[in-house]
Amino acid sequence: MKDKESITITEKIVASENLMHKKQILRKYTEEIFKIDKAFFNLMDDIIVNEDQKGEIVEAMKEETKKLTTYNRNLLDHIDKRVNKIVQGLDEQVDEIKSQRMTITYENTHLPKYV
């Protein structure tokens, strides 16, 4: 007697590869932005503070520069955290694609049992 049977399995058709090294490529750009921001804010500080400028406008500029510095650093930190999550998600998605569900259908031939 022949019976058709099926089995479904998930098989990895391509080896897994860790893509976490991609973070460094993206982080390089945020580090460059940080360096440019730092150079700009140092220049602002040199112009405003080191030349002994005084007055309400100068104080307001100092305050705004500090706020902007904090905002930019927080934004870059947030971007770095998002990069980590995005690369991890990409890594998981790529790993998922490398697996394939397969259904194998075969005929099961039962040999008669002799008792």
Side-chain angles (χ1 to χ4, degrees):
M1 175 183 287
K2 295 180 181 180
D3 293 329
K4 285 193 177 187
E5 295 187 23
S6 295
I7 183 170
T8 301
I9 58 171
T10 301
E11 188 66 29
K12 195 159 286 277
I13 55 176
V14 178
S16 292
E17 176 188 351
N18 188 339
L19 298 175
M20 298 309 271
H21 65 280
K22 301 289 187 188
K23 286 192 298 188
Q24 286 309 110
I25 295 168
L26 297 170
R27 188 167 283 149
K28 178 180 80 171
Y29 294 108
T30 59
E31 288 172 1
E32 190 63 30
I33 292 169
F34 178 76
K35 287 177 188 175
I36 292 168
D37 276 358
K38 189 173 181 180
F40 173 73
F41 293 126
N42 285 342
L43 180 62
M44 288 292 293
D45 194 52
D46 286 346
I47 291 170
I48 296 170
V49 177
N50 291 342
E51 292 187 11
D52 292 328
Q53 301 291 323
K54 303 216 185 293
E56 287 181 29
I57 294 174
V58 172
E59 292 303 315
M61 288 176 66
K62 283 184 197 178
E63 188 62 35
E64 286 303 313
T65 301
K66 286 180 185 177
K67 285 180 187 176
L68 193 54
T69 301
T70 302
Y71 175 79
N72 285 358
R73 285 186 183 155
N74 289 338
L75 185 59
L76 290 172
D77 286 343
H78 177 73
I79 289 170
D80 279 340
K81 289 175 186 171
R82 290 286 299 146
V83 163
N84 287 338
K85 288 181 181 178
I86 289 169
V87 171
Q88 184 176 357
L90 175 66
D91 195 40
E92 291 169 3
Q93 288 175 1
V94 168
D95 203 34
E96 258 181 45
I97 292 171
K98 292 179 179 183
S99 295
Q100 182 69 44
R101 287 180 50 85
M102 293 183 264
T103 301
I104 301 168
T105 303
Y106 59 95
E107 287 184 5
N108 189 0
T109 56
H110 297 284
L111 295 176
K113 294 186 182 181
Y114 297 100
V115 185

